[in-house]
Structures are given as C-alpha cells and as structure tokens.
Amino acid sequence: MKLIKHYIIALALLSCTVGIAQQLPQFTQYMYNTISINPAYAGSRETLSVVGLHRSQWVGFDGGPITQTLSVHSPLRNDKIGLGLSFINDKLGDERFSYLYGDFSYTIQTGQKTELAFGIKAGFTSYTLDRYSADSSGDPSIYGIDDRWDPNIGAGVYWHSDRWYLGLSTPRILTNDYNDDTGVGQDYAALERVSYYFTGGYVFTLSENTKLKPAFLLKATNGAPLSFDLTANFLFYEKFWAGAGYRIDNQTSALAGIVDFQVSKQLRIGYAYEYPLSDLIDYTGGTHEILIMFELFKTKRIKSPRYF
C-alpha cells in the first residue's frame, strides 16, 4: 500500500508538468544563477563569470527532476554591453527539455552608484519524450517525440547598485506546443508556458566582518499558481555564506539550508538542501543542489565587491 501511495503522489505531481505545461526549472540558489532567467544580468559582475549547477529534486523518486545548468557571461571593453550564453538540461521522468540561449544586455547610468540594464535572450528549446508502450502507460496513442527544436526569445531589465538589485524578466515569450504535427494523441499537450520573474535583494552591513543579504524571487506562470522564494544569507569575513530559504508553492513548498564558500578569489562553491513541506516528506530524501562559480578578475575593472 505504501509503494502504491508513493507512485500515486509522484505521478500526480509529475503530471502537472508532463501532461499540461513545461515551466523553467526552479533553483534554491537562484540569486547566483540569475542569468538563466534574466538576460539583463549579463555582464553585471564586471568580469568573466562561469556558473555550473546540478540539482537533484525529490531524491528517492523514480524519474524525479534532475537539472544541470552551465552559463558564461561577461561585459565587453566599454562595460555598457554584456554578452552571455547559457545551457540548461532538465529531465523529468520520460521528458527532457534542453535550453540553449544567448544573452545581450545594454547598461545605462541612472545615478552616481546605480545602473539600469536592458537585456534580450534568444535561442532554442529542445524537447524529447521517451517512447511509451501500451503496457507501461496504458495509452497506446503516445509513441514518443525525438529532439524537437523550437526557437524562442526573452527579455528583462536589471536595476542595481553595489548594495541592492531589482530585476523583472520573462525568459520565454513564445508559447510552443511540442505536440504539434507529431502524430501523438490529440489529448496530449507539451507546452512551453510564459513565466514572469520579479527578483530583488539587499546587502546589510551588520559589523565589520558580518553582512546579511535577504533576497526574493516571485514567479508568475500562465495557467499556474504564483510561486514565491524568500532567502536570507549571512556573509562572514567575505568568505563564508550561510543562510536559509522558504518557498511558497501549492505543490513544492519547501524549507532550505544554503552554504557557500569562497575558496579563492576566482572560485566559489555552494550547496543547498531543500526539505519538502508536503506529503512528499515521507517518500523523498529531499532536494540537493550544488553550485560552482569561477571568475577571471581584472583588478582595474572591478569597482566594488560583487554580492549578487
């Protein structure tokens, strides 16, 4: 009976994505992976920045979401233009989405210490659905979809100083249906939904060696409930981050713990663990997320410490 309940819960959650709509993956360490959702962020760290992330969600579930991302972005010599490239591989059960997108940003000065960047994103989304059989799925009309590539575009703005930031973006503007003209059953839809992101954060100096950085992410997706992430991280001696996060979501509400260590000026490693606040508690070991950031600094270019 417990095993049956296990799969019922899993299928109920997965069907929200597989049979209705595909949303971009969510991340606990979203504040360090901003380029994946907002093209205006490209070049904002004032140096060449490379970020890799691996996320294993709902560990213990067969076919639970597994996501990898790799992004690189940098300003050009005049500092007003930023360029970026990002790749996301997202596997959920028998579905796999791959995103390959380029980013362009242009920054204007809005004050002595504030800048406003405008960004556009363009690229392709690949969709693959592994082949089913009537015996395993109960629906002989689903035969599988192999490597469908469709173009898409996105846009965003990013306003910031060295102490705070606000961002508004929609990384996918077009709604693509990957079931069009495939011969797969007409009742099956694989839609790339439009999502809107509003992000922000602030760095407070608590003492000479301690800072506090709260941050938030509000996500609105067509046809889905609002999702809200709130995190707070302490920075000690400009080397070690430690904090917690809370996600409010109808299906994936969770508590999270986050730690990051600045190994060297160039290398940073982060880890996050999510504990689900739902019926999933009894059936999963939670969610694990590892982040690695590598940056090539040019001392003359960096105007102030980069906290986001």
Side-chain angles (χ1 to χ4, degrees), residues 98-146:
S98 298
Y99 308 85
L100 181 61
Y101 283 79
D103 304 283
F104 173 88
S105 70
Y106 185 82
T107 300
I108 61 174
Q109 202 78 24
T110 56
Q112 186 176 357
K113 295 183 178 181
T114 61
E115 295 178 332
L116 177 63
F118 302 87
I120 56 174
K121 180 187 288 284
F124 296 88
T125 299
S126 167
Y127 176 69
T128 300
L129 173 65
D130 290 345
R131 297 182 183 275
Y132 286 80
S133 68
D135 293 335
S136 63
S137 69
D139 185 355
S141 65
I142 301 179
Y143 296 104
I145 303 172
D146 295 324

Side-chain angles (χ1 to χ4, degrees), residues 284-303:
T284 175
T287 295
H288 301 274
E289 193 174 280
I290 298 174
L291 177 142
I292 298 177
M293 179 184 294
F294 181 79
E295 297 183 305
L296 293 177
F297 286 93
K298 293 183 179 179
T299 306
K300 294 182 179 179
R301 166 170 280 177
I302 301 298
K303 305 181 183 70

Side-chain angles (χ1 to χ4, degrees), residues 13 90 230:
L13 290 173
D90 187 34
L230 180 64

